[in-house]
Amino acid sequence: MKNQANPWLTSNLWVLGLGMLPAILLIGVLLYFTAWAFAFSFTDLALVGRKSVEWEWVGLENFQRLFTRRGFLESLWTTVIFVFFSAIVGQSVLGFLLAAALRGTRSTLRSVVEVCIMLGWLLPDIVAAFLWSATTAQTGLINQLIIRPLGLPPVNFINDYALPVVTIANIWKGTAWSYLLFSAALDSVSREVVEAAKVDGATPMQRIWLVQLPIIRPHIATNMLFITIWTFTYFPLIFAMTGGGPGRQTETLAVFLYNQSFARGNLGFGSAISVAMLVIVGCLSLVYLRMLREPK
Amino acid sequence: MESNAPSRLTAIALTFMAVIWISPFSWLILNAFNPLSTGQLEIPRAVGLDNFAQAVSGNAGRQFINSMMIAAGTATLSVIVGISAAYPLSRLKIPGRNAFLWTLVLLRMLPAAGVLVPLYFTAQRMGLLNQLGVIIALTVLNLPFTLLLLKNFFDTVPIELEEAAYVEGASLFQIVTKIVLPMSRAGIAVVWFFSFTGAWNEFLLPLIFARVQDAFPMSVGLYAAFGQQGAINYGFLTAFSIIYAAPAVGVYFLLRRNMNTGFAGVGVKG
């Protein structure tokens, strides 16, 4: 920490340290909770009943149950589909396309589109769940505007196509984040580079694919990292729309975790689920971080 | 000049997108302003504000204040704690600081439901099963992201400016408040906004922490209103939803100017 060049820092080290203290304290609390959750995963602790007081260490039993009992692997698969289509394909690609298309457009059109997308993002989860349940219901907007005029019988989307519906709802809700990030990233690509590519005869497709995308690759990796984490553990929208149903069609890991921990009261097993989720997302993040670090 | 102006086709496609994006709101608006709302998508025969009057007459005012306190409290506390730690993290060459920050972010991937039980027990023991408890808990959960984002913003403030100010005789406090903070204003606004909307939307924590109806924020109130009067009162629900959604939208428009600049810092570095 010998930082002779910055005397206003070195002479005030204790002030800086004091400033960091609250954050260190709160992070300690976070670590403490996390350690607790880890410890729970090796016990048969329950929310209510005898096991809530006289719990025992059960070793790796909870983790064995992840693979031997039905539920976890199915939920994992549902989550993978949900994350892949709603976050990686939906939000990222759509967000990028919108950012690329709106770049340098007239300001009114840009503002209108931006505000429309943002409204989805700003809407509280529970309200968004209402909205999409109503829109995809048998008497909802999609049936009244598209299915009925075609002379087809109304479809109960939220029931018959639950996973696609929550996926679309999440795309609707989350694209704004990717859009904003990509929009800022594209603004940072210098105009000269793009102009030079144009002079060299690159088509618009090539300009995006071969010039702009490689430049903003760190942004893409960061975006992927954040939205993967968020979507992987995203809970309220799905829970409020379907509660995981019908059957278990939309029971992603976050919903499965909630159902096991709080509806069924198996806190030990629930903790094992969250530890498993942490490991999975951790591995995914390492892949993204590698993408971020790697020199071009 | 600007030659990549959109073709007519792009403009039409974008307009189409916007219309699709906004269309689910039709149900919300049509029902909220229809005093005889049935929850169906239909053109109202009468238009009126009765639903809104009903929505604000009950506990909504109290819940609005609760939500506002939780959201503004969390956002402000997060930003203050975050700034005072992120500035040293950005300026001092503490070994392994980046690895440390990313480890924190990784840890934060533990689903909130996973730390809910220890969180509840601790809050109970410390007598924090109230709004202050919710604010502190949300700040704890926010902190890894807040720290990472704020540190990235501070990294972009050129240290030469601080050197110049020091030579002119400015103190550390003056350097931070007169140079660093103003220059990273957009970033701070973005972080504040994220924390605010996150806390405003938060449902699970207040649901478990709020033991009495007086302490419910709007998210819990809305959820609780579902089963209250026997049959679901859609007019009330939709009007309540609009009131509930309004502040986050309002804050966005207030801070909108800062958004693009602020987001530029989100990407870049690890």
Side-chain angles (χ1 to χ4, degrees), chain A residues 52-220:
Chain A
S52 65
V53 192
E54 297 169 22
W55 52 271
E56 283 163 6
W57 297 98
V58 293
L60 291 170
E61 201 178 281
N62 286 326
F63 292 95
Q64 275 166 2
R65 276 168 69 190
L66 288 179
F67 299 100
T68 53
R69 294 257 184 104
R70 282 201 57 195
F72 177 75
L73 292 175
E74 286 91 335
S75 285
L76 179 58
W77 182 237
T78 311
T79 313
V80 168
I81 294 175
F82 178 67
V83 172
F84 183 76
F85 284 103
S86 72
I88 298 174
V89 175
Q91 295 177 5
S92 261
V93 173
L94 200 58
F96 178 79
L97 288 179
L98 280 171
L102 284 174
R103 192 169 183 240
T105 46
R106 283 193 317 274
S107 60
T108 20
L109 183 62
R110 187 174 176 153
S111 303
V112 168
V113 176
E114 226 171 81
V115 166
C116 287
I117 300 168
M118 281 307 289
L119 278 177
W121 193 53
L122 293 166
L123 210 61
D125 292 316
I126 296 181
V127 180
F130 278 167
L131 227 57
W132 277 92
S133 302
T135 304
T136 56
Q138 214 143 15
T139 55
L141 184 74
I142 299 180
N143 274 308
Q144 294 214 8
L145 228 59
I146 300 171
I147 306 292
R148 271 231 310 241
L150 287 176
L152 300 169
V155 184
N156 193 354
F157 288 101
I158 185 78
N159 212 29
D160 299 347
Y161 301 94
L163 192 55
V165 166
V166 292
T167 305
I168 291 171
N170 191 36
I171 295 174
W172 179 83
K173 191 144 179 22
T175 298
W177 162 270
S178 299
Y179 163 75
L180 285 176
L181 202 147
F182 284 134
S183 193
L186 286 177
D187 281 346
S188 71
V189 176
S190 81
R191 197 138 279 174
E192 287 77 24
V193 179
V194 183
E195 290 299 321
K198 201 185 288 178
V199 172
D200 288 343
T203 63
M205 248 343 254
Q206 285 175 323
R207 289 203 298 270
I208 290 179
W209 195 252
L210 299 173
V211 180
Q212 298 185 344
L213 271 183
I215 295 179
I216 65 165
R217 208 187 54 165
H219 295 87
I220 298 174

Side-chain angles (χ1 to χ4, degrees), chain B:
Chain B
M1 281 307 288
E2 188 55 64
S3 57
N4 58 348
S7 65
R8 179 150 300 185
L9 201 65
T10 326
I12 291 172
L14 285 170
T15 315
F16 187 63
M17 273 302 291
V19 171
I20 289 183
W21 224 269
I22 206 89
S23 64
F25 282 98
S26 55
W27 174 80
L28 193 67
I29 306 289
L30 287 179
N31 274 292
F33 290 96
N34 179 3
L36 307 165
S37 156
T38 55
Q40 304 292 321
L41 184 73
E42 57 191 8
I43 305 298
R45 260 159 287 165
V47 175
L49 293 172
D50 306 27
N51 293 324
F52 288 92
Q54 200 196 342
V56 293
S57 66
N59 293 322
R62 176 83 228 163
Q63 290 168 359
F64 187 90
I65 294 170
N66 287 339
S67 280
M68 196 48 94
M69 278 167 64
I70 290 176
T74 304
T76 310
L77 188 63
S78 297
V79 165
I80 291 173
V81 173
I83 287 174
S84 52
Y87 178 71
L89 271 177
S90 160
R91 289 296 182 261
L92 299 176
K93 301 275 176 291
I94 300 168
R97 57 185 173 157
N98 279 333
F100 170 72
L101 276 175
W102 280 105
T103 315
L104 279 184
V105 172
L106 273 175
L107 268 184
R108 194 41 205 90
M109 289 168 197
L110 196 73
V115 291
L116 214 55
V117 175
L119 207 60
Y120 177 80
F121 284 147
T122 313
Q124 192 181 35
R125 198 167 307 160
M126 299 177 73
L128 281 174
L129 282 182
N130 49 29
Q131 275 173 17
L132 185 63
V134 175
I135 292 174
I136 295 175
L138 286 175
T139 306
V140 167
L141 294 175
N142 272 344
L143 202 56
F145 283 110
T146 314
L147 275 180
L148 188 72
L149 293 184
L150 283 174
K151 182 193 158 282
N152 280 353
F153 290 124
F154 290 152
D155 283 350
T156 62
V157 177
I159 200 159
E160 289 75 17
L161 285 179
E162 294 172 44
E163 260 160 23
Y166 175 74
V167 172
E168 302 284 329
S171 69
L172 175 70
F173 183 74
Q174 284 172 323
I175 290 176
V176 171
T177 53
K178 297 273 162 61
I179 295 175
V180 181
L181 294 186
M183 286 202 64
S184 39
R185 200 183 52 209
I188 294 169
V190 167
V191 171
W192 194 88
F193 172 71
F194 280 156
S195 314
F196 181 89
T197 48
W200 183 265
N201 294 345
E202 180 63 36
F203 169 70
L204 207 51
L205 270 179
L207 177 71
I208 288 165
F209 274 44
R211 309 313 293 168
V212 284
Q213 244 201 339
D214 271 353
F216 282 180
M218 291 192 92
S219 54
V220 181
L222 182 60
Y223 183 77
F226 240 133
Q228 246 166 26
Q229 300 101 343
I232 296 172
N233 184 348
Y234 282 101
F236 173 83
L237 277 183
T238 45
F240 193 93
S241 298
I242 291 178
I243 298 171
Y244 174 36
V249 177
V251 171
Y252 164 70
F253 279 106
L254 279 180
L255 298 179
R256 186 155 177 253
R257 209 172 288 248
N258 291 315
M259 278 299 187
N260 244 19
T261 355
F263 259 87
V266 175
V268 232
K269 286 197 269 185

